[in-house]
Each structure stands twice: as structure tokens, then as C-alpha cells.
């Protein structure tokens, strides 16, 4: 493993303010800079715009005006309907013709801004130091245009008064193209789809009681036809770099971050997250830890998460975690990608107490200022009750810029009275990616040397709006049918497959039950349900080969020709879900050399991936599109 330092600095910029110009004043011509000096804009200087207005002083007639084709103006006269005589400006354009002046708007004659009155007469002209844009007048740049400044793509803002800078990151294989002014490459924003496949990720440790001898790790899967160069950094220091070949996967162990793995209170952990960048689009999974057995010892506490790339993060998320278990906390981790991100957290009915810190009070309310790579970790306190009533689920995370939110638990029984406890973690979907309907299907479990059997799981439904009604197809007796407030949740245990429908957007999580609840293997794990609107027709998934057994649950329109690793899923593998027209297939995955598998169909379908080792398990969605709904 090689270590080095990556430092990326964006050029700073100033702010330009263009003063409003009045046209009814008899005073001297206006100057846009109140100090009557050059104005610094985005690191450069511009001369003040020179303005000419009509006055009541005797002036030459139009015939006396210069006719050299320049921006000079002459003053004519116009009589209104009331008999009042006013002056008008008639600048000669570069073509010698009087330019068009739309009534009540700003127009342009080359780099000269024209103020038009309600009758379409030119009443004021301004020589622009940079550029003139119709309806905007004098601005610094043409809105929507791009220009390169070394490796930085500068995008002109809608008001034309400045640029938004984007580094064409070489660690994502990007360069700035002079002909377009934009970043180009396989990882450019113009090339990436809104999905779980991307080029920029933030792996993040969450609370876990596992012994540190077991390894936190990420698995990077490359489904492209070109090698992907991957670089992992923390606080701009290179932690690891490696190549992932076409169609291959590489597993990279990473050091635990102690302040996140075993916290004693909520906190902001500066540069607490790793940053993983690739020169080609990849999918990334984090394992906490990757191994469930080492040197004859079992980890007892594992889970895995599908990570979401930064280009699909959101600014609002409802947390899904789990109740405090004994003294072991539930948690959520918020990660920023932009310096100066302000995060506000508002607890749900159950979202208190928390162990205060990092700007979050004991009642669960708080705010935090995060820079890129910083982590706000919030952990639950003890409220009492059986199970404990402290549960961060439903807490609203709002941020001034997109953030990643991972719900987690150090180690929890599911249900609270069935052993044994296990680590939980999963990426929580932003509100913009939630929907009103989801499929929920029961997993298989395989005891050693026995055939797989279906096992019940816990289904948790979280409201995002008041008075959310819920129905099921087929009906589920005893399942919740109403959630009163945003952030409220309800849950139930079932081994049935069904469709959940709600009157407003909801989030849905599923938890494996502990080994004592049946199956003689595994322990709790957590996944989130994916809205069918975000289903895909192709998935590249990873199932770790060191686990005893790995499975996928597939949900597809009945009769859809789904293939696993190029082979059709046989009709006998499917079971209909009531009368919905959809079916589920539960398949055990064969161990491959690298654990990678490819699923495809001519129609969009859903995938959940899970697996078991002795006293532990993992579960995560196989992938999803992430266009806002």
C-alpha cells in the first residue's frame, strides 16, 4: 500500500455587484462602482460600465451624432399623448441601423446595454466592460456557458454575475476540454447516470462492538470494459490505491476509525470518512467487517451497505435505525461532500434522548457545520421500556448541500427478546427517492448442511407526512394501517410476500431476525426496500465468497425473462405475490472466484442480496436508479 498526499485547491473568486442605473435623474452619468475604480471579479479586474442618459440640456440633433459605427448615442425628442416632450436616445449600431428596443426591457447592441422604456424607446445606454446579455444587460459572463481555467471548469451562473467552479478531478479521470469548457471523461457529470454506479464515494465506519482484529473493508466492482484506477484517501492523504480490471472486483481493508466505531457520545469527527474515487464508474459496498471468522474466532457482529455515489446524495433524509438495546446505541452518520455544509436535525417522536454532542442536544435537536469528509455521528441514549423507547428512526436530517446518511446500530437483538445481537447499517435514501409503494419479500435461511427455508423478518414502515394510511396486497392481518405524524414508524414480523401501498411517501426497512428466532444460523441484518420506480434492468452485485451461503431475492413482473450470470431463472423458481401480477424468486448464489454476479432482464426488476455465516449475516439492496421521484 502506498501513501502520499493529494491536495486539490480551487481558485478563489471575488464577488461583483452591478449597481442599478436610474433613468429619471438629471444628474451626471452613473458609474457602477461606487468607488469609481476598477472592480475585482473572480480574481480579475474590470473597468466600470459607462452610462449615458437623456437630459434636458440642449444637445445635438440626431443628424449631428457621430456616424462612425461606434456605440456613441445621440438624443432625439418625442412628444407623448399628453403633449410632454421627452428626450430619447438613438444609438447607431455597428451595422448603422437603429437597434430594436423591446418595451420595458434591457437590450444589447454588441457590448452596449440599452434600457428601453414602455414605448420601446432607448432611454439609456451603458458600455459593458465584459459582455451584454439581452434582458440582463451588463454581466460578467453569458449564463450557462463554460470555460476552462487550467483543471477547473467555470460555469457561468444564471444571473451572469459570477462562476461556479468545478475541479476536473484527475483521480476520477477527468480533464477540462478547452472547446467546451466542461469536464470530460467516463466519470463526467454529463456521462454518469443517476444510479448506484458512480465514481466518488465516502465509506464511513459506524458504531460496532466487533473486535478490531476483524477488518472494515470496501469491495469495488468494475462492470466496464476498461480498467478502473481507484484511490482511497482520508483528509487528502492517500490510504490505498489499486486497479480493478474489467469485470473484476477488489476488496480493500481499511483501518477502523475509533471515534466512529466506539463512540461515548454524539460528535463531529473531522475527516472521519474515507473518500474513494475511481477513473471508471464502479459500484462500492462497505462491510463492517468483511470477515466473520478469523483464526478460529467468530466476529458475531457484521453487516454490509450498498454505498451511494456523491452525485445522487440528497439534502433531506428520514433516518432509519433501531431502538437502543441495553446500553448499546442506535446511530446515524451524516457525511458532507462540500465545505461549509450546514446540517439541521429534527427528532421524531422517538428520536430522544440522544447522548449529546457535536451540536446535537439531548432532546435530539441540533445543527452542525461540516466540511467535506466530516462526519456528524448521533447516537441514541436510554429512555427505558421494553424494548427501549429511544429510537432515532424518523429523525429528519436537512442540509444546505447534499449529504450521505447511514442508519446503524452497534449491536441489536431483533426482536429485542431473541438472541443474538448483531451490527446493523444501511444507506438511507433521500426523501427525493422515496415513493408510496414497495415490494416486501421474505428471505431464505440455510442452516449448516441443510436445505434453505423461508424465514420471517421484521418490516418497519416510516412516515414522511401526517395521517399516512397504509394498505397491503395481499392483506396482512395485524399490520399497521395508519401513521399519525411525519417520522412515526410501525413494524411487524411476517414471513409473507406482499405489496405495501401508502397515501404519502414512506420509507421501508427490513431486519433479519436473530438466530434464536429460527434457522440455526445468522443474526440480525438490515436492508432498505427500493421503490419500483427505481428498479433497473441490469444489476452488477457482489456477494462475499467467505460467507457460508449467499442469496438474492428477485421481484419481477410475472413471466419476465430474468437472467442470472447469463442463465435464465427457471419458471419453477418463481412464486406469485397474490394477484398483483408480480412474482418473487429466492435463489442461492453459487460461489464464484470473485463473488461478482450479473442479473439482467428486458424489464425493470428488483434485487436484494444477503448472506450468512455462523452468528452473523448481511443484507443490502442489489442496486437502484436514483433519479428524483
Amino acid at each position: 500500500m502506498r501513501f502520499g498526499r493529494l491536495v486539490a485547491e480551487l481558485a478563489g473568486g471575488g464577488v461583483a455587484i452591478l449597481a442599478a442605473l436610474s433613468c429619471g435623474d438629471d444628474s451626471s452619468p452613473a458609474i457602477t462602482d461606487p468607488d469609481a475604480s476598477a472592480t475585482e471579479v473572480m480574481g480579475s479586474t474590470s473597468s466600470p460600465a459607462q452610462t449615458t442618459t437623456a437630459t434636458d440640456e440642449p444637445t445635438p440633433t440626431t443628424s449631428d451624432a457621430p456616424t462612425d459605427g461606434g456605440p456613441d448615442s445621440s438624443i432625439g425628442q418625442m412628444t407623448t399623448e399628453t403633449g410632454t416632450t421627452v428626450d430619447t436616445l438613438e444609438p447607431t449600431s455597428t451595422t448603422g441601423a437603429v437597434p430594436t428596443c423591446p418595451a420595458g426591457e434591457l437590450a444589447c447592441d454588441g457590448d452596449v446595454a440599452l434600457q428601453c422604456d414602455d414605448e420601446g424607446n432607448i432611454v439609456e445606454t451603458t458600455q459593458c466592460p465584459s459582455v451584454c446579455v439581452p434582458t440582463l444587460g451588463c454581466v460578467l459572463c453569458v449564463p450557462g456557458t463554460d470555460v476552462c481555467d487550467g483543471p477547473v471548469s467555470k460555469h457561468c451562473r444564471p444571473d451572469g454575475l459570477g462562476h461556479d467552479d468545478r475541479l476536473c478531478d484527475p483521480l476520477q479521470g477527468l480533464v477540462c476540454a478547452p472547446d467546451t469548457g466542461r469536464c470530460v471523461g467516463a466519470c463526467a457529470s454529463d456521462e454518469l447516470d443517476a444510479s448506484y454506479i458512480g465514481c466518488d464515494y465516502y465509506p464511513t465506519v459506524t458504531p460496532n462492538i466487533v473486535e478490531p482484529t476483524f477488518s472494515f473493508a470496501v469491495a469495488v466492482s468494475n462492470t466496464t470494459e476498461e480498467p478502473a484506477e481507484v484511490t482511497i484517501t482520508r483528509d487528502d492523504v492517500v490510504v490505498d490505491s489499486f486497479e480493478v480490471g474489467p469485470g473484476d472486483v477488489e476488496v480493500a481493508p481499511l483501518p477502523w476509525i475509533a471515534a466512529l466505531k466506539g463512540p461515548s457520545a454524539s460528535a463531529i469527527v473531522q475527516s472521519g470518512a474515507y473518500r474513494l474515487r475511481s477513473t471508471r464508474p464502479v459500484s462500492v459496498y462497505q462491510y463492517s467487517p468483511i470477515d466473520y471468522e478469523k483464526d478460529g474466532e467468530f466476529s458475531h457482529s457484521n453487516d454490509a451497505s450498498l454505498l451511494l455515489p456523491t452525485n445522487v446524495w440528497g439534502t433531506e433524509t428520514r433516518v432509519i435505525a433501531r431502538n437502543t438495546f441495553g446500553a448499546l446505541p442506535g446511530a446515524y452518520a451524516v457525511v458532507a461532500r462540500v465545505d461549509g455544509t450546514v446540517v439541521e436535525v429534527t427528532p421524531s417522536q422517538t428520536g430522544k434522548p440522544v447522548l449529546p454532542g457535536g451540536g446535537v442536544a439531548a432532546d435530539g435537536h441540533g445543527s452542525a457545520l461540516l466540511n467535506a469528509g466530516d462526519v456528524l455521528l448521533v447516537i441514541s441514549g436510554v429512555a427505558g421500556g421494553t424494548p427501549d423507547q429511544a429510537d432515532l428512526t424518523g429523525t429528519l436530517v436537512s442540509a444546505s448541500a447534499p449529504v450521505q446518511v447511514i442508519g446503524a446500530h452497534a449491536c441489536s437483538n431483533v426482536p429485542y427478546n431473541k438472541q443474538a445481537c448483531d451490527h446493523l447499517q444501511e444507506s438511507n435514501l433521500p426523501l427525493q427517492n422515496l415513493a408510496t409503494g414497495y415490494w416486501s419479500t421474505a428471505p431464505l435461511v440455510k442452516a449448516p448442511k441443510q436445505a434453505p427455508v423461508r424465514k420471517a423478518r421484521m418490516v418497519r414502515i416510516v412516515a414522511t407526512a401526517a395521517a399516512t394510511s397504509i394498505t397491503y396486497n395481499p392483506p396482512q392481518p395485524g399490520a399497521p394501517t395508519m401513521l399519525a405524524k411525519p417520522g412515526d414508524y410501525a413494524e411487524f414480523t411476517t414471513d409473507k410476500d406482499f405489496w405495501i401501498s401508502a397515501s404519502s411517501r414512506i420509507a421501508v426497512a427490513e431486519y433479519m431476525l436473530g438466530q434464536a428466532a429460527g434457522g440455526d444460523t445468522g443474526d440480525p441484518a438490515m436492508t432498505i426496500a427500493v421503490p419500483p420506480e427505481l428498479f433497473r434492468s441490469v444489476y452488477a452485485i457482489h456477494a462475499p465468497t467467505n460467507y457460508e451461503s449467499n442469496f438474492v431475492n428477485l421481484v419481477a413482473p410475472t413471466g419476465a425473462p430474468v437472467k442470472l450470470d447469463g442463465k435464465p431463472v427457471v419458471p419453477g423458481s418463481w412464486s406469485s405475490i397474490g394477484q398483483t401480477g408480480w412474482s418473487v424468486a429466492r435463489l442461492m448464489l453459487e460461489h464464484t472466484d470473485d463473488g461478482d454476479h450479473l442479473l439482467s432482464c428486458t424489464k425493470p426488476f428488483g434485487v436484494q442480496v444477503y448472506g450468512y455465516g455462523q452468528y452473523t449475516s448481511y443484507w443490502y439492496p442489489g442496486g437502484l436508479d436514483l433519479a428524483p421521484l
Side-chain angles (χ1 to χ4, degrees):
M1 183 181 302
R2 294 179 297 174
F3 291 83
R5 177 170 292 273
L6 169 68
V7 179
E9 296 184 354
L10 298 180
V15 178
I17 302 176
L18 299 182
L21 301 172
S22 65
C23 60
D25 193 306
D26 292 338
S27 60
S28 302
I31 299 177
T32 58
D33 183 357
D35 296 325
S37 62
T39 303
E40 182 175 345
V41 179
M42 300 299 287
S44 62
T45 59
S46 301
S47 300
Q50 300 299 317
T51 302
T52 302
T53 59
T55 72
D56 292 332
E57 300 297 325
T59 57
T61 63
T62 302
S63 59
D64 296 326
T67 57
D68 60 357
D72 301 290
S73 302
S74 62
I75 302 177
Q77 291 187 329
M78 176 184 71
T79 302
T80 68
E81 293 180 357
T82 61
T84 303
T85 301
V86 298
D87 294 329
T88 61
L89 295 173
E90 297 180 351
T92 54
S93 72
T94 55
T95 62
V98 176
T100 301
C101 197
E105 295 187 9
L106 284 168
C108 296
D109 179 22
D111 288 335
V112 177
L114 313 176
Q115 178 65 61
C116 312
D117 67 12
D118 291 340
E119 303 297 328
N121 301 298
I122 302 170
V123 294
E124 186 178 280
T125 65
T126 303
Q127 177 65 52
C128 299
S130 295
V131 65
C132 183
V133 174
T135 74
L136 296 178
C138 294
V139 293
L140 297 174
C141 55
V142 178
T145 59
D146 302 274
V147 64
C148 290
D149 182 7
V152 176
S153 172
K154 305 175 77 68
H155 181 75
C156 186
R157 298 172 189 150
D159 61 7
L161 300 183
H163 292 88
D164 291 323
D165 294 346
R166 170 173 288 185
L167 174 67
C168 300
D169 188 355
L171 294 184
Q172 297 181 59
L174 301 178
V175 297
C176 194
D179 55 335
T180 64
R182 295 181 64 83
C183 298
V184 296
C187 293
S189 58
D190 295 340
E191 301 294 331
L192 286 177
D193 294 328
S195 80
Y196 73 109
I197 299 174
C199 300
D200 192 7
Y201 298 83
Y202 280 81
T204 306
V205 172
T206 56
N208 192 343
I209 65 169
V210 71
E211 291 294 327
T213 52
F214 294 88
S215 300
F216 178 76
V218 291
V220 183
S221 178
N222 177 15
T223 60
T224 73
E225 297 179 354
E226 300 290 337
E229 301 298 329
V230 175
T231 304
I232 302 175
T233 58
R234 183 178 174 223
D235 195 19
D236 290 333
V237 176
V238 175
V239 177
D240 199 0
S241 61
F242 49 90
E243 181 178 284
V244 185
D248 288 343
V249 63
E250 292 290 337
V251 175
L254 297 170
W256 293 99
I257 307 301
L260 297 173
K261 182 182 181 298
S264 57
S266 301
I268 294 174
V269 181
Q270 295 179 343
S271 301
Y274 293 100
R275 188 179 184 188
L276 185 153
R277 283 169 283 182
S278 171
T279 58
R280 307 288 298 181
V282 295
S283 57
V284 179
Y285 313 83
Q286 74 173 34
Y287 292 87
S288 180
I290 185 67
D291 33 19
Y292 77 90
E293 187 273 338
K294 179 183 284 187
D295 300 328
E297 298 291 331
F298 292 110
S299 64
H300 297 284
S301 185
N302 303 59
D303 205 357
S305 300
L306 174 71
L307 292 183
L308 305 182
T310 59
N311 62 298
V312 296
W313 290 5
T315 56
E316 288 189 307
T317 304
R318 287 280 177 186
V319 171
I320 307 180
R322 194 137 191 95
N323 313 59
T324 297
F325 177 66
L328 298 174
Y332 62 89
V334 184
V335 184
R337 73 177 193 189
V338 176
D339 287 350
T341 298
V342 177
V343 177
E344 302 281 347
V345 296
T346 306
S348 62
Q349 189 79 10
T350 62
K352 59 187 178 190
V354 305
L355 297 180
V360 181
D363 66 359
H365 289 87
S367 63
L369 179 64
L370 303 181
N371 289 327
D374 289 352
V375 180
L376 170 63
L377 180 68
V378 180
I379 61 176
S380 59
V382 175
T386 307
D388 197 290
Q389 296 304 297
D391 191 334
L392 300 173
T393 295
T395 294
L396 178 63
V397 176
S398 302
S400 61
V403 293
Q404 171 179 261
V405 179
I406 298 177
H409 202 290
C411 195
S412 178
N413 280 6
V414 180
Y416 72 94
N417 56 354
K418 295 290 185 181
Q419 292 185 335
C421 82
D422 206 340
H423 173 61
L424 304 174
Q425 65 171 31
E426 193 56 70
S427 298
N428 292 173
L429 292 182
L431 290 185
Q432 66 187 16
N433 299 119
L434 300 182
T436 58
Y438 298 82
W439 296 104
S440 178
T441 63
L444 293 176
V445 65
K446 184 184 182 304
K449 300 180 181 180
Q450 296 184 29
V453 296
R454 190 188 301 192
K455 184 176 180 177
R457 80 288 189 196
M458 187 83 75
V459 179
R460 174 172 285 197
I461 303 170
V462 185
T464 67
T468 298
S469 60
I470 307 166
T471 59
Y472 307 86
N473 187 5
Q476 300 298 302
T481 58
M482 176 63 70
L483 294 171
K485 299 177 182 178
D488 283 359
Y489 75 87
E491 62 185 15
F492 61 105
T493 301
T494 177
D495 64 354
K496 301 297 190 293
D497 307 319
F498 48 88
W499 168 254
I500 305 171
S501 182
S503 59
S504 300
R505 294 186 189 219
I506 55 175
V508 177
E510 297 178 278
Y511 306 86
M512 288 183 182
L513 306 185
Q515 187 162 321
D520 196 30
T521 192
D523 265 327
M526 172 184 173
T527 190
I528 55 169
V530 173
E533 295 91 335
L534 302 182
F535 284 176
R536 296 169 55 86
S537 57
V538 177
Y539 295 85
I541 65 170
H542 180 72
T545 57
N546 60 331
Y547 275 65
E548 292 177 356
S549 57
N550 296 292
F551 299 88
V552 289
N553 275 21
L554 312 178
V555 178
T558 300
V562 180
K563 293 183 178 180
L564 170 60
D565 294 330
K567 299 178 181 179
V569 178
V570 298
S573 299
W574 296 94
S575 301
S576 61
I577 303 176
Q579 303 300 313
T580 62
W582 285 64
S583 297
V584 56
R586 285 169 270 262
L587 306 175
M588 187 171 178
L589 295 172
E590 296 181 1
H591 281 317
T592 61
D593 291 339
D594 56 12
D596 273 7
H597 299 273
L598 184 65
L599 292 141
S600 61
C601 185
T602 56
K603 299 179 180 180
F605 66 107
V607 180
Q608 291 282 343
V609 185
Y610 54 101
Y612 300 91
Q614 278 300 303
Y615 314 114
T616 197
S617 56
Y618 72 90
W619 200 359
Y620 57 78
L624 68 163
D625 286 334
L626 284 151
L629 298 178

